[in-house]
Amino acid sequence: MISSINSQPTYNYHSCRDEFNNYPNTSFESNVKVLLGALSTKASQNYSFYSHSSNGIYALFLCRGDVNSSTCQSCVSYAGQDITTRCSSNTTAIIWFDECMLRYSDANFFGAGETSPAVLMYNVGNTTSPEEPNFGARALMNGLIEIARGTDMLYKAGTWSGDNGSEVRYGLVQCTRDINVTSCTNCLEKSMTRAIQCCEGKKGWRVLAPSCIIRYENYSFFQPPSLPPPPPPQPQPPLPQPLPDNAAVDEITSVESLQFTFSTIRAATDNFSNANKLGQGGFGIVYRGRLSNGQEIAVKRLSTNSGQGDVEFKNEVLLVAKLQHRNLVKLLGFCLEGIEKLLIYEFVPNTSLDHYIFDSMKHADLDWGRRYKIIGGIARGLLYLHEDSRLRIIHRDLKTSNILLDAKMNPKISDFGMARLFALDQTEGSTNRIVGTYGYMAPEYAMFGQFSTKSDVFSFGVLILEIVSGQKITSFQDTQNAEYLLSYAWRNWKDGTASNLIDPTLMKGGPKIEMMRCIHVGLLCVQENVANRPDITSVLLMLNNDSVALPLPTQPAASFMQGNVGSSKLLQLDSNCGGTNYVASITEELSPR
């Protein structure tokens, strides 16, 4: 519900920190009130966001992206009066309402992208649809995050409805506009991870952080945007056409709609010339090509003796065509003529991760910031496959050569020929045909053919250790000995010398504590006991939240060695949100200033 100028905004929560050493400090209080008054003036001038500093005090406000100027001004004015009353003895304060948020501090926080303190609020009622957290909340909110990061306002609200359209869900994501796109994305994704851990299965929830807000409800709480008139109809372009990033899965009605002719691809690759050869794998050769419209493509030409028959080929086509995520390579189409089987992908210019991380010259281009970004991107791609796509998908062949890097060195998981689809309630399976790459395969899969999302997590743990060390899993070399990377990592972990695993080129750049945490998470992922390995949701939480205490790892699989968020307290709020009772928890992640 949208408040009018005369109504009091809907209070959510506030946080007061850093008390005065000499209380009271009337000068500070007076300066704060003057500064907050200036913010209120800006709100009355049709500003929906404004940041300003004066007399060593920093403050900003952010109004919800859909509220009008009068509602924004009313909320900011009320918030300025309310917070100075609630936090009169504090130098740092933040307050959240439904319609706006406001904060101030004697420390400069502009552009910092802060995610703490975080408030988690949820409807005490459970959802009525067991599968809806995957299809509803996650799909809706992740889609909104993807769109919001590309908007000037760093804001997006939208809806999702079930297959029968009877149940509508509403979501909103927004960042303060003092931070950049990367910080906004990190804040929203970290908040989403918190929401999944705290509140999945609830009818409604929200996460309030200093730099971003996410909210999910089973009732409408925002004003839908006014829509421009529809454009005139355009002529239907000839097939095939690449799928847009936000294409719905249901739009792919048949494989044939993505089919290229062999003559088209032969011309695009200059008759599959060696000059266009990008690489070669177990199933064939990959070529670079250019379509007649100028679009660059990568063509995977399957060898006739590769062992991948029609079943695997159709599996990859049907599967990858339905996957849409920025950390997955995009399938544009295919060709099936005679003995020729071709898969046409988007062209990813920086080839695969193994060409960088294991190259004696190129691996220096991957500083810690880029490596950490690659680790996080792979994890988000796996989260989509395991939890957020319409079916649970096990990749089964996750390795450095199947991680492609785009122009900005963002990772994209590729090669789904070995992937297996699960029903949403299915968690594991088995096969008599063991496929994959030795060293990356989990022991239960390599020995018994049993695979699950945890077998992908095992492979991801190997990837983490390879990325941190810059060494291959099966041919790790230290200065004195040759042994498997997992055995070396475990031996040094036990001896308290895990830093020996870190690539020497990283030692002078990047936070060592972050590298050590990645080693810790990697070892947790490669534990022999499947039950001891974290799922990918927990892995993301561990990587993104350094306040999460990590359990001690156990010894990695012998066969491969041989040949709650922070401290939190629950609070019952008096307010009703949309006529439903909410519970909130406040997570304080204090860091030195």
Side-chain angles (χ1 to χ4, degrees):
M1 182 177 295
I2 311 301
S3 302
S4 69
I5 190 171
N6 296 319
S7 65
Q8 180 174 308
T10 305
Y11 168 80
N12 287 328
Y13 204 80
H14 74 278
S15 175
C16 309
R17 293 164 58 180
D18 304 327
E19 292 190 5
F20 293 120
N21 292 326
N22 299 307
Y23 174 79
N25 189 326
T26 55
S27 175
F28 183 87
E29 292 179 22
S30 176
N31 290 334
V32 166
K33 290 179 180 179
V34 171
L35 181 55
L36 297 186
L39 263 61
S40 179
T41 299
K42 288 296 182 181
S44 67
Q45 297 172 352
N46 294 331
Y47 283 75
S48 60
F49 168 81
Y50 188 72
S51 60
H52 188 58
S53 63
S54 177
N55 296 317
I57 307 170
Y58 303 81
L60 63 74
F61 73 82
L62 175 69
C63 289
R64 204 175 67 208
D66 63 297
V67 302
N68 57 39
S69 58
S70 61
T71 300
C72 177
Q73 193 278 329
S74 177
C75 182
V76 172
S77 177
Y78 184 89
Q81 300 172 31
D82 196 22
I83 194 64
T84 53
T85 300
R86 296 178 185 268
C87 303
S88 59
S89 62
N90 301 89
T91 60
T92 298
I94 183 169
I95 191 167
W96 294 274
F97 294 88
D98 271 7
E99 299 82 3
C100 73
M101 60 86 69
L102 181 146
R103 63 182 298 202
Y104 65 82
S105 177
D106 62 343
N108 185 358
F109 57 83
F110 294 162
E114 296 180 349
T115 57
S116 176
V119 180
L120 291 81
M121 303 174 64
Y122 62 86
N123 187 324
V124 295
N126 287 324
T127 181
T128 57
S129 178
E131 75 280 5
E132 192 256 328
N134 285 338
F135 287 176
R138 296 193 187 189
L140 171 61
M141 302 305 289
N142 287 334
L144 295 178
I145 290 172
E146 184 67 24
I147 297 173
R149 64 196 297 269
T151 66
D152 292 337
M153 291 183 64
L154 299 180
Y155 161 84
K156 184 62 181 178
T159 61
W160 172 92
S161 58
D163 293 336
N164 58 10
S166 60
E167 293 186 351
V168 181
R169 297 291 183 262
Y170 303 82
L172 179 150
V173 301
Q174 187 171 16
C175 294
T176 60
R177 297 199 288 278
D178 61 312
I179 62 176
N180 59 30
V181 173
T182 299
S183 296
C184 174
T185 304
N186 291 340
C187 185
L188 293 172
E189 290 181 344
K190 188 171 185 177
S191 296
M192 188 63 191
T193 301
R194 283 170 165 157
I196 291 171
Q197 291 291 311
C198 154
C199 317
E200 188 170 39
K202 302 299 181 183
K203 289 184 177 179
W205 43 259
R206 66 191 77 176
V207 181
L208 313 176
S211 295
C212 68
I213 294 168
I214 66 173
R215 184 176 175 184
Y216 171 79
E217 304 286 2
N218 65 344
Y219 61 89
S220 178
F221 62 90
F222 56 82
Q223 185 70 38
S226 56
L227 298 177
Q234 298 294 323
Q236 184 69 26
L239 290 175
Q241 290 290 325
L243 291 172
D245 287 338
N246 59 350
V249 173
D250 291 338
E251 291 176 0
I252 305 171
T253 56
S254 68
V255 177
E256 287 70 25
S257 65
L258 300 174
Q259 190 160 9
F260 287 78
T261 64
F262 183 73
S263 60
T264 297
I265 304 305
R266 182 170 54 190
T269 59
D270 192 18
N271 198 23
F272 304 97
S273 68
N274 285 331
N276 284 325
K277 184 176 177 180
L278 294 174
Q280 185 167 357
F283 286 152
I285 303 175
V286 180
Y287 297 89
R288 183 175 183 172
R290 187 183 295 272
L291 298 175
S292 58
N293 64 2
Q295 181 180 7
E296 288 192 293
I297 57 174
V299 180
K300 180 180 177 182
R301 189 183 194 184
L302 303 182
S303 59
T304 56
N305 61 351
S306 67
Q308 185 178 29
D310 290 349
V311 173
E312 286 91 347
F313 181 74
K314 292 179 180 178
N315 177 32
E316 188 159 10
V317 170
L318 289 170
L319 173 61
V320 183
K322 294 181 180 181
L323 301 179
Q324 299 294 324
H325 190 276
R326 68 178 182 275
N327 293 119
L328 303 182
V329 70
K330 185 187 299 182
L331 178 71
L332 304 180
F334 77 103
C335 172
L336 181 59
E337 290 187 18
I339 63 172
E340 294 286 353
K341 296 184 178 73
L342 310 176
L343 292 168
I344 296 89
Y345 293 98
E346 64 173 321
F347 176 69
V348 184
N350 280 323
T351 66
S352 54
L353 177 59
D354 60 320
H355 285 103
Y356 280 85
I357 200 71
F358 303 137
D359 186 277
S360 59
M361 300 296 293
K362 290 183 178 180
H363 87 291
D365 296 336
L366 292 180
D367 59 17
W368 177 246
R370 283 178 170 172
R371 296 192 197 198
Y372 192 62
K373 181 180 180 182
I374 288 170
I375 290 172
I378 299 170
R380 287 189 292 273
L382 273 183
L383 177 65
Y384 175 82
L385 293 175
H386 290 180
E387 300 292 344
D388 294 338
S389 59
R390 304 208 78 177
L391 290 171
R392 179 171 286 120
I393 299 165
I394 313 300
H395 188 280
R396 294 204 297 166
D397 198 20
L398 197 67
K399 55 184 177 181
T400 52
S401 60
N402 283 338
I403 304 299
L404 304 185
L405 301 173
D406 68 11
K408 296 182 178 179
M409 304 301 282
N410 296 305
K412 291 177 177 286
I413 301 173
S414 69
D415 204 336
F416 290 83
M418 294 298 98
R420 292 291 294 267
L421 283 71
F422 278 3
L424 283 174
D425 58 352
Q426 186 180 0
T427 59
E428 61 182 28
S430 62
T431 179
N432 291 324
R433 184 185 179 197
I434 309 300
V435 293
T437 304
Y438 183 78
Y440 294 93
M441 289 189 290
E444 70 278 3
Y445 178 54
M447 292 185 289
F448 307 113
Q450 298 171 351
F451 58 91
S452 66
T453 56
K454 295 291 187 74
S455 53
D456 273 357
V457 167
F458 183 96
S459 302
F460 179 59
V462 174
L463 276 174
I464 292 178
L465 297 176
E466 287 186 320
I467 291 170
V468 174
S469 68
Q471 298 273 2
K472 292 183 180 179
I473 178 64
T474 55
S475 58
F476 178 79
Q477 296 281 340
D478 69 1
T479 57
Q480 298 177 344
N481 305 300
E483 61 180 312
Y484 285 103
L485 178 58
L486 296 192
S487 65
Y488 181 83
W490 177 246
R491 176 165 59 83
N492 278 276
W493 174 268
K494 289 191 302 178
D495 294 343
T497 57
S499 60
N500 289 342
L501 191 69
I502 298 174
D503 188 334
T505 64
L506 301 176
M507 294 305 290
K508 293 184 179 180
K512 183 178 177 182
I513 190 172
E514 207 168 64
M515 302 176 197
M516 295 293 289
R517 189 173 183 86
C518 284
I519 293 173
H520 192 158
V521 173
L523 286 171
L524 290 173
C525 291
V526 298
Q527 295 177 104
E528 183 168 16
N529 189 326
V530 177
N532 289 342
R533 295 176 212 152
D535 58 23
I536 195 62
T537 300
S538 300
V539 169
L540 265 172
L541 185 65
M542 294 174 185
L543 291 172
N544 293 331
N545 191 337
D546 55 14
S547 69
V548 174
L550 304 186
L552 292 177
T554 57
Q555 183 171 340
S559 61
F560 281 78
M561 293 169 64
Q562 302 297 327
N564 273 301
V565 182
S567 59
S568 61
K569 54 182 179 180
L570 291 179
L571 303 172
Q572 183 73 43
L573 298 186
D574 295 332
S575 61
N576 287 332
C577 303
T580 56
N581 294 322
Y582 266 68
V583 168
S585 68
I586 177 74
T587 301
E588 297 279 359
E589 297 172 8
L590 303 181
S591 56
R593 287 172 38 190

